[in-house]
Amino acid sequence: MPTAREGLLDAAFTALRSRPWAGVRMVDVAASAGVSRQTLYNEFGSKEGLAQALVRREVDGYLAGVERTLSGAGRSGADAAGRLLALVAWTLRAARGNPLVRAALTGCWGEQLPAPARHPPARGGPPGVRRTERDAPVETPAELVDKVRDGVLRALAEQLPGAPAERRRVGEAVTRLTLSYVVAPAGGEDVERMIRGLLPVSGPSRTAAGR
């Protein structure tokens, strides 16, 4: 059963699907989650705090998916290229299905979305409002590139070819190529060809885009 915090974040995300963030009212979020408005303010302190926590949750969900994908869970024996193609597929799915993830990856927040602060939000409301690691500032697109690249290097250290500097170059290139497809999608065969062109490894053919 979700906690009050998760229920409120779910309600805020659902509201954002149908209206711009400026039109999302705290009282409506609380009512949709089945809690009092006081509970909402106890959790987040302000609408700014709610926005920060919502974007933080969605970005953390994307990064957790990156880790799962690169771990090769459910794909025993997957080669480096296969795992990287799966990373492309996950990133494209996440960006297409979640406007907050897409905005975090591209830096294009627009007027419809709650752009995150680059510092912990000021806490309004009563004393004792909860502050947790989940309120941490959201990464810039460049910082997200670094996190995904580092995840690639950790997960595929034994499979990526070359010296450490070369592996870092490959990890950086794959990550930036992946994010470029968020901005300008391409056909699955093009994605696969370019990823495999970066890695002198062989493996089963996969098509990433559209999955």
Side-chain angles (χ1 to χ4, degrees):
M1 183 175 181
T3 63
R5 181 184 180 91
E6 286 301 311
L8 286 162
L9 291 173
D10 288 343
F13 187 77
T14 298
L16 188 59
R17 292 285 197 181
S18 60
R19 71 199 74 159
W21 183 248
V24 175
R25 300 195 309 160
M26 297 285 272
V27 64
D28 294 334
V29 171
S32 295
V35 302
S36 69
R37 188 168 56 173
Q38 186 63 54
T39 297
L40 190 158
Y41 280 100
N42 286 345
E43 287 288 345
F44 304 107
S46 64
K47 190 175 181 182
E48 180 192 21
L50 175 62
Q52 188 83 355
L54 179 60
V55 178
R56 177 75 269 165
R57 184 184 73 163
E58 301 309 310
V59 171
D60 285 346
Y62 164 69
L63 291 172
V66 168
E67 185 175 349
R68 287 194 305 272
T69 299
L70 290 172
S71 73
R75 294 184 302 279
S76 177
D79 67 355
R83 292 187 186 187
L84 291 172
L85 286 166
L87 171 62
V88 175
W90 161 246
T91 296
L92 294 182
R93 281 200 310 273
R96 289 168 182 165
N98 191 322
L100 296 178
V101 171
R102 180 180 178 86
L105 291 171
T106 62
C108 299
W109 292 94
E111 298 180 355
Q112 300 289 104
L113 302 176
R118 297 306 176 195
H119 53 80
R123 289 294 191 168
V129 170
R130 298 178 181 86
R131 185 187 294 277
T132 73
E133 291 181 358
R134 292 172 292 185
D135 298 315
V138 175
E139 295 84 355
T140 64
E143 290 168 341
L144 281 174
V145 167
D146 289 346
K147 281 198 168 185
V148 175
R149 178 205 61 210
D150 291 347
V152 168
L153 295 176
R154 284 194 304 272
L156 303 179
E158 295 182 359
Q159 291 180 300
L160 288 177
E166 176 65 11
R167 290 199 298 270
R168 185 178 180 84
R169 184 197 67 78
V170 171
E172 181 90 13
V174 168
T175 302
R176 291 191 177 277
L177 176 64
T178 298
L179 297 184
S180 77
Y181 288 123
V182 172
V183 178
E189 292 183 0
D190 290 338
V191 175
E192 180 164 356
R193 175 178 54 79
M194 295 185 74
I195 291 291
R196 290 192 178 278
L198 289 169
L199 297 171
V201 296
S202 60
S205 177
R206 298 171 185 264
T207 298
R211 292 191 178 184

